[in-house]
Amino acid sequence: MDGQISKIDPLAFVLYPFVWGAVAINLFMLSLGWQIVGLSVLSPYQAMLFALPFAVPATWLCTKWVRGLIAEAEK
């Protein structure tokens, strides 16, 4: 980098709430599965809270995927 601040894709701001919800649901479902090994289940509120940081890289991947789909559709 040459000192420039990278631009944040506005699409990421649109997708973040949806990705956050998907990550929260997946964390909750995962916690139901890890009951088998003796761990406690996350409450839905805990899953939503833990999903906040995990949704950032997931949003980046989702934005990259959607931008690829848009580029392919414009061909």
Side-chain angles (χ1 to χ4, degrees):
M1 287 209 154
D2 54 353
Q4 293 181 353
I5 297 174
S6 63
K7 291 183 180 180
I8 297 176
D9 193 350
L11 181 61
F13 288 109
V14 174
L15 291 176
Y16 182 81
F18 300 103
V19 173
W20 171 73
V23 170
I25 290 169
N26 283 312
L27 279 175
F28 179 70
M29 297 301 283
L30 178 67
S31 75
L32 291 175
W34 69 40
Q35 245 181 339
I36 295 171
V37 294
L39 297 172
S40 63
V41 176
L42 294 175
S43 73
Y45 298 111
Q46 288 173 324
M48 288 189 295
L49 183 65
F50 290 141
L52 288 171
F54 290 121
V56 174
T59 301
W60 176 76
L61 287 171
C62 184
T63 304
K64 188 176 174 182
W65 174 63
V66 169
R67 285 290 175 202
L69 291 175
I70 291 171
E72 186 177 329
E74 288 178 347
K75 287 183 186 177

